[in-house]
Amino acid sequence: MSVSVSHLPSSLVLLGAGKMGGAMLEGWLAQGMPPAGVTILDPRPSEDMERLCRDRGIALNPAAPRPPEVLVLAVKPQLLDDAAKDLNRLVGPQTLIVSILAGKTIGDLRKRLPAAHAVVRAMPNLPASIGRGATGAAASDDVSEAQRLVADNLLKSVGVVEWLPSEDLIDAVTALSGSGPAYVFHLVECLAEAGIAAGLPADLAQRLARATVTGAGELLFQSELSPETLRQNVTSPGGTTAAGLQVLMADPGGLKALMKSTVAAAKTRAEELAG
Ligand SMILES: NC(=O)c1ccc[n+]([C@@H]2O[C@H](COP(=O)([O-])OP(=O)(O)OC[C@H]3O[C@@H](n4cnc5c(N)ncnc54)[C@H](OP(=O)(O)O)[C@@H]3O)[C@@H](O)[C@H]2O)c1
């Protein structure tokens, strides 16, 4: 995902350099963000993170960091209260806060960080760790166009970004793309089990199911055709795929209804976790 270096911030503090924070950091560096402008705050960084900071000249846990242009929050949501105590001094009048904390609303963040002005709340997903994430993002009213562009570039460095007209939609985004990779992993499990039930040895069924889902995903990624057209293109009338899809697409009782209740349950849980 190519981003414009001129729209990356000149100073950035990353709070929490774990899986997601670390993936974003790698994306920013790969896009040409000057390492000298980055500061990492993480009380227990991994050895890899320590080495990266040493090799690239990134400040790691300096004694008194100054308020940056962008403060990225990437700790576990339950650690926000703990971390917030020391954070207010990092929020200047021009600081844009970008939070990827699941379930924490812009209002929740303002409560913990009274100095906060501009806030972007984003929900990435696991494939961000390989630069192929899908992120939904919402901005508070006081985020300027320039700040939105900066946030867009930061988030784009780990995949696609969809800007939401309202923060209310984040719970639905969480339920679809945030939790979605796990649904797809489960699809692979189910496909493999079905293959075993159809007579294949277990390891062969698992290898085929995995390769089928990753191959179909890559095809979808590379193709400009809709998923519907791609499906129709491999479905000959009266053929084997048509016979399988007749079951999968049954109405009622097919995948559509199951997926609807899956996403609805995840959305309800996302709503419950806010606060
Ligand atoms: N992973 C995902 O797929 C995903 C998707 C969407 C959103 N998110 C959100 O991304 C955030 C981070 O998730 P993650 O999976 O990257 O978690 P993670 O791997 O546990 O990373 C969090 C990092 O923050 C560190 N940390 C703990 N307390 C801190 C403090 N007071 N100050 C600074 N750093 C501190 C942790 O250190 P220790 O390990 O030593 O505690 C860890 O290195 C979460 O809020 C999550 O909701 C994650």
Side-chain angles (χ1 to χ4, degrees), residues 58-271:
I58 295 170
L60 178 61
N61 296 324
R66 296 158 60 86
E69 190 180 330
V70 180
L71 171 62
V72 178
L73 306 181
V75 291
K76 290 279 190 211
Q78 60 272 27
L79 294 177
L80 175 64
D81 283 332
D82 236 22
K85 290 177 207 133
D86 296 330
L87 271 190
N88 265 303
R89 67 192 159 83
L90 277 177
V91 183
Q94 308 301 327
T95 301
L96 166 68
I97 297 177
V98 177
S99 165
I100 62 162
L101 274 60
K104 295 294 172 202
T105 64
I106 293 175
D108 295 332
L109 295 167
R110 286 197 196 287
K111 249 185 258 161
R112 271 85 170 190
L113 301 170
H117 297 271
V119 182
V120 166
R121 179 178 171 203
M123 174 48 59
N125 67 2
L126 185 61
S129 60
I130 55 160
R132 292 274 293 271
T135 298
S140 67
D141 290 344
D142 37 13
V143 170
S144 67
E145 262 319 297
Q147 286 175 318
R148 182 193 276 258
L149 205 55
V150 166
D152 189 59
N153 275 289
L154 288 173
L155 296 168
K156 252 197 219 150
S157 64
V158 287
V160 299
V161 181
E162 298 289 345
W163 284 92
L164 310 171
S166 135
E167 189 192 359
D168 299 351
L169 295 178
I170 286 257
D171 290 330
V173 167
T174 304
L176 193 162
S177 52
S179 303
Y183 309 156
V184 176
F185 300 147
H186 187 56
L187 173 69
V188 177
E189 294 176 275
C190 292
L191 198 54
E193 270 180 42
I196 294 166
L200 293 173
D203 55 346
L204 176 61
Q206 278 151 10
R207 284 199 303 275
L208 286 175
R210 189 181 182 121
T212 299
V213 173
T214 53
E218 188 59 32
L219 191 59
L220 196 57
F221 181 72
Q222 290 186 22
S223 172
E224 284 177 3
L225 300 175
S226 70
E228 186 185 6
T229 304
L230 285 168
R231 170 176 55 76
Q232 284 165 347
N233 287 350
V234 289
T235 312
S236 322
T240 58
T241 308
L245 283 175
Q246 214 170 3
V247 176
L248 197 65
M249 295 175 73
D251 187 16
L255 183 62
K256 193 188 276 187
L258 188 60
M259 195 53 87
K260 227 182 230 173
S261 40
T262 299
V263 171
K267 179 172 177 247
T268 302
R269 188 66 186 131
E271 287 161 356

